[in-house]
Amino acid sequence: MEIGIIGAGHIGGTLTRRFSALGHQVMVANSRGPQTLADLASETGAKAVTVKEAARAQDVVVVTIPEKNIPKLPRDLFADTPATTVIVDTGNYYPQRDGLIEEIESGTPESRWVADQLGRPVIKAFNNIYAQHLLERGKPKGSPDRIALPVAGDDKRAKEVVMRLVDELGFDPVDAGGLDESWRQQPGTPVYATDFDAEGVRRALAQASRERPPQFRAATAGPPRTSPPRGGSDSPSASAR
Ligand SMILES: NC(=O)c1ccc[n+]([C@@H]2O[C@H](COP(=O)([O-])OP(=O)(O)OC[C@H]3O[C@@H](n4cnc5c(N)ncnc54)[C@H](OP(=O)(O)O)[C@@H]3O)[C@@H](O)[C@H]2O)c1
């Protein structure tokens, strides 16, 4: 498949490595331009491109940047993207990092907000696993204790495409319902950063509470930060940073 990845950090870098190793054609972009991604490109064989070029991928575009930067992406980002291209959102809202996002604080699921900002439907995936685990803990189908990942979204075909990729990467995909149910896999929920198997993921999704835990709310999360707390509770990346 041709896969564009917008964001080349912990998750974007990991997906670039893994998708390239699986034989997909990967185009990867960051905010500073393709010239800053030469090392990642030569390591993986992926093509370093601009954000708009990555958005033109034929099959899948993964958006994997901090939530606060989503509104800074070009307004016409997907103007030249085929309607059939599947857009994946890996994002998590951390008020300490992202500042206050009113709609999310008042209950809009994070990925619904991302889809509204992007003007395209998204599939929510890869948000609940540490980047390092995504890189290293994939296993062949049928292996005992294979980690499962929830995948949420409204379009059946698009969700199937992402679920197949999850499986190729070495994880059991679990259909987590539509995007309006995707709060069940947000930060602070039972499925978040816990590496459950498929049965455990289904149970955790069912047990989730819609209430945002205080540490994930702007009013109670402490002052805005420009960098994640050291070894602390930022995105699942904490261990990878
Ligand atoms: N890290 C994890 O383990 C993990 C796990 C699951 C989900 N997540 C979530 O996934 C998202 C990405 O996390 P991450 O840890 O991979 O982030 P990260 O390591 O901080 O990397 C962010 C990447 O996004 C790029 N970026 C930022 N603003 C951009 C813009 N306006 N246009 C293009 N590229 C832009 C950055 O490029 P520059 O360096 O050029 O600015 C960088 O490559 C976040 O929402 C995070 O909460 C993270």
Side-chain angles (χ1 to χ4, degrees):
M1 287 208 262
E2 187 178 65
I3 302 177
I5 301 184
I6 298 176
H10 291 92
I11 291 287
T14 293
L15 290 176
T16 299
R17 290 180 173 87
R18 297 289 298 113
F19 284 143
S20 299
L22 288 166
H24 295 293
Q25 284 181 1
V26 176
M27 296 187 284
V28 59
N30 64 5
S31 75
R32 288 164 295 145
Q35 72 286 353
T36 65
L37 292 169
D39 288 350
L40 183 62
S42 70
E43 176 198 329
T44 59
K47 193 170 171 202
V49 297
T50 64
V51 167
K52 289 207 79 171
E53 285 170 317
R56 286 202 289 266
Q58 288 298 304
D59 298 300
V60 172
V61 174
V62 182
V63 179
T64 181
I65 69 175
E67 219 79 327
K68 66 176 175 190
N69 290 356
I70 293 281
K72 297 180 187 162
L73 289 168
R75 281 281 127 206
D76 57 349
L77 183 61
F78 293 112
D80 300 320
T81 309
T84 50
T85 298
V86 176
I87 316 297
V88 179
D89 167 35
T90 80
N92 292 308
Y93 167 59
Y94 277 88
Q96 301 96 328
R97 177 193 64 193
D98 297 318
L100 173 70
I101 300 177
E102 294 272 7
E103 294 95 320
I104 294 177
E105 289 280 340
S106 50
T108 302
E110 295 169 17
S111 286
R112 176 63 68 197
W113 178 82
V114 170
D116 290 347
Q117 297 296 311
L118 298 178
R120 284 277 297 233
V122 301
I123 301 294
K124 186 178 190 73
F126 306 118
N127 77 296
N128 74 313
I129 183 167
Y130 290 104
Q132 199 68 28
H133 296 190
L134 186 59
L135 183 67
E136 295 172 350
R137 299 198 179 175
K139 291 182 185 178
K141 201 182 187 118
S143 303
D145 300 327
R146 196 185 198 213
I147 295 171
L149 299 180
V151 179
D154 297 330
D155 184 284
K156 190 166 175 284
R157 183 198 70 88
K159 189 153 58 173
E160 280 167 6
V161 168
V162 179
M163 290 176 76
R164 272 200 303 278
L165 284 173
V166 166
D167 187 36
E168 276 184 43
L169 290 166
F171 303 91
D172 280 337
V174 170
D175 187 336
L179 212 61
D180 288 335
E181 287 292 302
S182 66
W183 52 267
R184 294 179 182 277
Q185 66 192 75
Q186 289 181 172
T189 60
V191 81
Y192 193 69
T194 37
D195 287 354
F196 289 138
D197 65 7
E199 198 190 322
V201 164
R202 284 191 200 97
R203 194 181 316 120
L205 291 170
Q207 286 168 348
S209 156
R210 190 150 194 172
E211 182 102 359
R212 288 190 85 79
Q215 66 271 35
F216 296 103
R217 300 190 65 96
T220 38
R225 307 177 71 112
T226 51
S227 60
R230 202 152 55 94
S233 62
D234 188 69
S235 61
S237 63
S239 71
R241 283 180 201 273

